[in-house]
Amino acid sequence: MQDNATEVTAAGIARLAGVGRAAVSNWRRRHADFPRPVGGTETSPSFALAEVESWLRKQGKLAEVPLRERVWQQLSGHPEGPVTALTHAGCLLLLIHDRPTVWLEVSAGSDERLSEMLPGALREVFTPRFGRESAMNTEPAVNTPGRVHIPDAGLASANAVDGTTAADAANPATRVNLADTVNTEDAVNTADAVNPRPPARPASSVHTPAAVNAHPALHLPTGPELLPSAPLLRGAAELAAELGARQTFEFLLGRHLDANPRQYTLTPADLAALMADLAGPARTVLDPACGTGALLRAVATRPDQELYAQDSAPELAALTTLRLALQTWSTVRGAVGDSLRADAHPRLRADAVLCHPPFNERNWGHDELAYDPRWEYGFPARTESELAWVQHALARLKDGGAGVLLMPPAAASRRSGRRIRADLLRRGALRAVIALPVGAAPPYNIPLHLWVLRRPEKAPAQPEVLLVDVGQFAGEGRGGPDWRAVREAVLDAWQAFGRPGRFAERPGLARALPVIELLDDDVDLAPARHLPPPTATDGAEQLTAVREHLGETLRLTADLTPPRADAAHPARWPLTTIGELARGGALMLRTGGNGGHTRVPVLTDHDVLFGADPTGTLPESEEEAVLTEPGDVVVPVLGGGSVARVIDATTGGAALGRNLVLLRPDPAALDPWFLAGFLRGTANNRQASSYASTATRLDVRRLQLPRLPLDEQRRYGERFRALDEFERALRHAGRLGEQLVRGMYDGLTDGTVAPD
């Protein structure tokens, strides 16, 4: 059913037609019959989807709007906003997933009948799935009516001067000189001396302040609420018949996240899988800051599993709850509320806790939570919100349960947190600190840490902590780390650490350190500061190999240097454009997708710019990905550079990422290297670019080519191919040179390379 009220922006029209936004602006100027705006603003107007579709089809620019594109436009243009629309669609897809025959009965008839009958049908799904028709949490204390309290996020100073807070100053018992107590062998048994706690609260007022403002993540939508969503629900059901209910929701959610990248902090799937593996198999799993649910989705399913999710953002809690329910038959208990100040699961003792907490929050509840029983290892300073999350995770674990948290590197060394770190070590609660490569997760410019926790069943006789640094596996550019190498190195070290016997030290990578060696004035847990450097032999051999490889590459570069350029008169060729060639069938034009199968490597715009292998990922969905083939030409549309890449046999088969346009020439009409070479002309790119306040966007259809016979194209193509090979050799030589220089500096400064 077509929704005549659905509106679409210029960006949506460009996606429908497979063109750039500049083309849409040109259509509006040149065609008097282009649909008039029906909403939006003067600078960002919106148009009726039905009118746009009709105009595009009449102009021969569109055969038919794909179903998934129509459903997405209905969702993004929903009068109550895309989050409400996505939640309603998720509820409907859960009904289709669990009871498909019920939907067939409900959907028969008018939209009014559908909206009246759907709440009752959803109730029959909500009750067995979530425990009650409108809640996911079985804790009575959680369901107190009230407004959801979401704390303001403040930015904390990266380095506190000391750990004394206002609460500490008011309590003489907290004035303990850490240097006098933690620098001796006896420090292991002086937990109370170095880890002061707030004074005992009167018994009459002791209670858990959490669970006051927590709410169920989902509520049962009413008929009037569902009525505006009826066209969307019918379209989503039709799409689910093609893709499946779960895949449809993943497609729509992936599009929403992709359209709002600054609103959400995502946990990459590879990192989530690593964290789940470190925690191990578990029946009950909690994520107290669930976000979009990546961590809980990575947990291996097992019978009678229970997944607990909570987030302070109501839309994330609701969408994650639906996402988990569609992915697994496990019991899902989701809640809205800040887990530190409004814990929805105060009596939970889980097998595992996985968490990617918010970083550097000053307003995390320091003042009102001074007497909270969760602070077993010390009252966190105002600037140590991450250590509050660590203790919250430990408080929700059963004895022997495992927790894995993503942490900023400063949490391992800030002086304001040294007392809590010391007690975590002494009591065996902190089992490992793993330094990840740069680019593992947002913020991508910082090498984040993983803290592996274990709820201590008893005090360890000779406690040790595993320190791992896999920073060496960072990828080039923004492609991300080598996750396979990261995963193998981390899990191999963690499994070896858990086996009886002495852990075999791995220079430069992993070391098991006795806790007593870390209990100094700083209690600094940064792995790089405690790991031995690689052996001198290995370092020298590696540098020798790099030097030899660099020499071979430089010789190749010299051989590939282009011959002397002979002067010639400017050519006056007849010209055509990429748009004209596409309309004439000489080439096919495709744009990068917004989803695809997770196992397909994705060629990103950064891969094209840096000449790298495919490194990207796309949101998981059953959307048909655009797959590259040898001989295709790929062009980035953002950034203003003149770049084009011919796909070879090693890159063929990768999915086309966002902000890329693929040109597939007909071999009987166009030579791919001729095509790529002329697309790289600076003047050509300049005349085909549009300029905005923040970026330059290339309209590929406006790029020009000379009309030349195929034999002449191939002459130019051979020269362009040679230039490309020379460029790749230069790039490779540059990387090897940087590696050799850095290795020599490191070797000379750490003593592994002799100066002579």
Side-chain angles (χ1 to χ4, degrees):
M1 175 179 176
Q2 176 65 53
D3 177 16
N4 294 324
T6 300
E7 297 178 11
V8 60
T9 64
I13 297 173
R15 185 181 288 115
L16 286 171
V19 299
R21 292 190 60 177
V24 178
S25 299
N26 288 336
W27 294 343
R28 292 185 62 195
R29 289 195 301 268
R30 297 176 182 176
H31 297 275
D33 61 340
F34 191 87
R36 301 296 180 187
V38 296
T41 65
E42 184 175 348
T43 57
S44 181
S46 58
F47 307 83
L49 176 60
E51 295 179 8
V52 169
E53 178 185 353
S54 175
W55 187 86
L56 290 173
R57 188 176 291 112
K58 184 175 65 174
Q59 294 290 325
K61 304 179 186 298
L62 181 69
E64 182 180 357
V65 177
L67 175 60
R68 66 187 66 199
E69 192 63 42
R70 180 181 292 119
V71 173
W72 166 248
Q73 295 299 340
Q74 290 172 332
L75 186 147
S76 61
H78 194 280
E80 298 299 324
V83 173
T84 297
L86 191 54
T87 304
H88 289 176
C91 292
L92 177 276
L93 292 168
L94 183 60
L95 174 65
I96 294 175
H97 180 268
D98 287 9
R99 302 188 179 186
T101 57
V102 175
W103 163 249
L104 295 178
E105 179 182 350
V106 170
S107 60
S110 65
D111 289 350
E112 288 74 14
R113 179 181 181 274
L114 182 152
S115 62
E116 290 174 2
M117 295 187 64
L118 189 53
L122 291 175
R123 183 181 294 110
E124 298 301 317
V125 174
F126 275 35
T127 301
R129 277 305 206 117
F130 307 130
R132 280 199 293 278
E133 64 186 50
S134 62
M136 257 130 307
N137 195 333
T138 59
E139 299 289 349
V142 181
N143 297 317
T144 304
R147 181 169 299 182
V148 178
H149 184 75
I150 303 176
D152 296 329
L155 295 178
S157 171
N159 298 292
V161 177
D162 72 23
T164 304
T165 65
D168 294 333
N171 180 13
T174 65
R175 297 171 188 168
V176 179
N177 189 335
L178 184 62
D180 294 338
T181 58
V182 300
N183 227 358
T184 67
E185 190 73 27
D186 295 333
V188 178
N189 298 315
T190 56
D192 293 336
V194 293
N195 185 29
R197 293 169 176 78
R201 202 166 186 170
S204 61
S205 63
V206 173
H207 70 286
T208 302
V212 174
N213 292 321
H215 292 261
L218 280 177
H219 79 278
L220 190 66
T222 64
E225 290 174 336
L226 289 169
L227 183 57
S229 300
L232 166 66
L233 299 181
R234 294 186 187 277
E238 188 179 351
L239 188 57
E242 293 183 5
L243 306 179
R246 182 184 70 83
Q247 293 84 352
T248 298
F249 188 74
E250 288 296 323
F251 161 69
L252 295 174
L253 177 61
R255 273 285 187 94
H256 174 68
L257 296 176
D258 186 58
N260 302 276
R262 296 184 179 181
Q263 294 184 20
Y264 305 105
T265 300
L266 305 181
T267 307
D270 291 306
L271 175 59
L274 175 61
M275 294 173 67
D277 286 340
L278 287 169
R283 192 185 71 83
T284 56
V285 188
L286 166 69
D287 185 347
C290 63
T292 58
L295 293 177
L296 291 176
R297 292 181 72 236
V299 174
T301 58
R302 54 182 295 176
D304 302 324
Q305 192 172 57
E306 295 182 358
L307 303 177
Y308 293 82
Q310 183 171 350
D311 201 276
S312 60
E315 69 275 12
L316 289 180
L319 295 177
T320 293
T321 301
L322 288 167
R323 194 180 195 187
L324 294 172
L326 281 163
Q327 175 176 297
T328 176
W329 290 101
S330 302
T331 300
V332 180
R333 305 192 185 279
V336 177
D338 174 12
S339 289
L340 294 183
R341 289 193 273 198
D343 184 12
H345 313 290
R347 290 184 286 280
L348 175 66
R349 296 297 177 265
D351 296 317
V353 174
L354 302 174
C355 186
H356 177 175
F359 297 159
N360 298 327
E361 281 197 338
R362 280 188 175 273
N363 190 18
W364 57 267
H366 176 272
D367 295 336
E368 60 263 44
L369 297 177
Y371 299 94
D372 197 288
R374 289 173 289 182
W375 314 142
E376 296 182 47
Y377 302 87
F379 182 39
R382 190 182 301 276
T383 56
E384 294 290 349
S385 62
E386 296 86 6
L387 294 182
W389 285 99
V390 166
Q391 295 191 76
H392 174 76
L394 286 166
R396 294 296 158 261
L397 286 170
K398 70 177 185 181
D399 289 346
V404 183
L405 276 75
L406 186 66
M407 301 283 282
S413 56
R414 281 191 297 242
R415 289 186 59 81
S416 54
R418 65 193 187 277
R419 298 179 182 179
I420 294 176
R421 293 196 299 270
D423 207 24
L424 289 169
L425 291 173
R426 274 191 301 271
R427 296 170 61 182
L430 180 58
R431 304 294 294 134
V433 177
I434 301 164
L436 298 169
V438 171
Y444 289 106
N445 61 330
I446 298 175
L448 301 176
H449 288 179
L450 289 179
W451 285 25
V452 184
L453 311 171
R454 187 83 68 190
R455 176 81 180 176
E457 299 178 83
K458 58 181 181 179
Q462 294 180 331
E464 289 187 331
V465 64
L466 176 66
L467 301 177
V468 180
D469 189 343
V470 288
Q472 60 187 291
F473 301 119
E476 296 181 0
R478 291 176 54 185
D482 181 350
W483 278 112
R484 177 177 296 180
V486 169
R487 181 185 182 87
E488 290 177 355
V490 170
L491 294 181
D492 184 52
W494 175 243
Q495 291 162 5
F497 179 67
R499 290 192 288 265
R502 184 173 180 80
F503 179 82
E505 194 172 271
R506 303 168 190 199
L509 183 65
R511 181 185 185 187
L513 202 63
V515 164
I516 191 65
E517 296 187 23
L518 294 168
L519 295 177
D520 55 16
D521 285 350
D522 296 322
V523 196
D524 191 335
L525 306 182
R529 294 176 183 169
H530 302 283
L531 293 178
T535 61
T537 303
D538 293 343
E541 289 179 355
Q542 184 178 13
L543 287 176
T544 300
V546 171
R547 186 177 184 278
E548 292 177 354
H549 194 184
L550 175 60
E552 295 172 0
T553 305
L554 290 174
R555 287 190 290 273
L556 175 63
T557 304
D559 293 340
L560 294 174
T561 302
R564 183 173 61 88
D566 296 327
H569 294 291
R572 300 292 183 183
W573 296 302
L575 299 176
T576 185
T577 65
I578 295 296
E580 291 172 352
L581 291 171
R583 285 191 293 272
L587 59 79
M588 183 176 67
L589 186 148
R590 301 288 300 276
T591 57
N594 291 277
H597 300 286
T598 55
R599 296 185 179 180
V600 177
V602 177
L603 187 70
T604 69
D605 52 348
H606 294 91
D607 298 333
V608 175
L609 292 171
F610 293 104
D613 292 335
T615 60
T617 58
L618 289 174
E620 181 183 358
S621 76
E622 293 301 315
E623 181 177 357
E624 191 72 25
V626 179
L627 300 182
T628 60
E629 297 178 0
D632 291 344
V633 177
V634 177
V635 183
V637 297
L638 293 181
S642 53
V643 178
R645 177 172 175 178
V646 178
I647 300 299
D648 55 20
T650 60
T651 314
L656 191 69
R658 295 180 292 273
N659 300 322
L660 290 175
V661 170
L662 180 145
L663 305 175
R664 181 165 295 162
D666 180 355
L670 278 175
D671 179 80
W673 286 102
F674 164 80
L675 173 63
F678 274 93
L679 294 187
R680 292 192 58 173
T682 302
N684 199 7
N685 273 259
R686 188 176 298 150
Q687 66 87 27
S689 296
S690 59
Y691 302 92
S693 59
T694 58
T696 303
R697 188 173 186 90
L698 182 69
D699 185 354
V700 176
R701 291 176 178 269
R702 292 171 55 189
L703 290 170
Q704 296 180 334
L705 286 177
R707 296 180 181 272
L708 296 178
L710 192 56
D711 290 342
E712 188 70 5
Q713 292 181 30
R714 288 170 178 158
R715 280 187 58 225
Y716 276 94
E718 286 301 319
R719 189 66 181 271
F720 287 136
R721 186 199 294 265
L723 283 174
D724 180 80
E725 191 174 359
F726 176 63
E727 183 181 36
R728 287 172 181 265
L730 283 176
R731 189 182 291 122
H732 187 48
R735 288 196 293 263
L736 289 171
E738 291 176 2
Q739 186 178 350
L740 179 62
V741 170
R742 172 49 51 199
M744 290 296 297
Y745 271 111
D746 290 345
L748 288 167
T749 55
D750 63 22
T752 59
V753 173
D756 299 329

